[in-house]
Amino acid sequence: MQMLNHHDPGGRELVDLDRAECLRLLGSRRIGRVVFTESALPAAQPVAYLVDDEEVVFATPALSALADATCHHVVAFEVDELDDPTWTGWSVLGVGEAYEILEPVRLAWLAERLPPPWTPGPAQRAFSIPLQRLTGRRVRRSAAPRDVPRRQAS
């Protein structure tokens, strides 16, 4: 197998994130992507969302492909923040079995807190993805190499 060996002139390193940091980063954004299966193929759609405890909650038009393909299916949710000039940033991926939120009290609570839907439409349905699996990675600048004292020739 042939491998590409790229030189990283920027001095960057890859760091795995723990669950608490992944949740913190999820809560810092408002737009993410739901990854689902449509006609046996992978698909992804941006959604406006909020984190409610350890669940990602979003609304989508009632008659959308996302609504049809999400309910009671395992889906993924991805959010990131990337900086093109420095090639640094982070990415978080959650996986869980989505369900439609039908409880009136929770729907009323969410109606006051959910950001406006990414996809406009007259009738919106609310869905939740319990984050049964949550992983994340950060690419950051590595610490500057320390100057190692050289041995003096005697």
Side-chain angles (χ1 to χ4, degrees):
M1 173 170 45
Q2 295 290 325
M3 301 293 288
L4 291 175
N5 292 317
H6 290 283
H7 172 67
D8 181 10
R12 299 171 304 131
E13 63 183 348
L14 180 65
V15 178
D16 289 329
L17 304 175
D18 64 21
R19 187 173 185 88
E21 180 67 359
C22 288
L23 286 167
R24 187 190 72 74
L25 291 170
L26 272 174
S28 73
R29 312 305 297 163
R30 292 179 49 153
I31 305 290
R33 293 163 210 81
V34 176
V35 182
F36 59 99
T37 304
E38 183 177 26
S39 300
L41 296 172
Q45 284 191 9
V47 295
Y49 73 96
L50 66 76
V51 177
D52 181 18
D53 194 20
E54 292 200 5
E55 297 187 3
V56 170
V57 179
F58 65 95
T60 190
L63 300 176
S64 66
L66 181 57
D68 291 342
T70 301
C71 198
H72 301 296
H73 289 92
V74 174
V75 299
F77 183 81
E78 193 274 341
V79 65
D80 56 48
E81 182 177 276
L82 307 172
D83 183 51
D84 284 347
T86 63
W87 284 53
T88 58
W90 55 265
S91 177
V92 170
L93 179 69
V95 177
E97 184 177 338
Y99 67 92
E100 185 171 6
I101 300 169
L102 300 172
E103 180 184 86
V105 171
R106 188 170 183 205
L107 286 170
W109 184 86
L110 289 169
E112 297 176 10
R113 290 166 178 82
L114 267 175
W118 176 259
T119 308
Q124 298 283 323
R125 292 167 62 188
F127 291 91
S128 184
I129 305 169
L131 299 170
Q132 294 155 330
R133 181 170 181 235
L134 186 60
T135 58
R137 304 189 313 169
R138 179 186 307 275
V139 175
R140 65 182 182 194
R141 292 261 177 229
S142 55
R146 296 181 188 168
D147 290 333
V148 177
R150 293 187 181 182
R151 233 157 113 171
Q152 297 290 334
S154 10

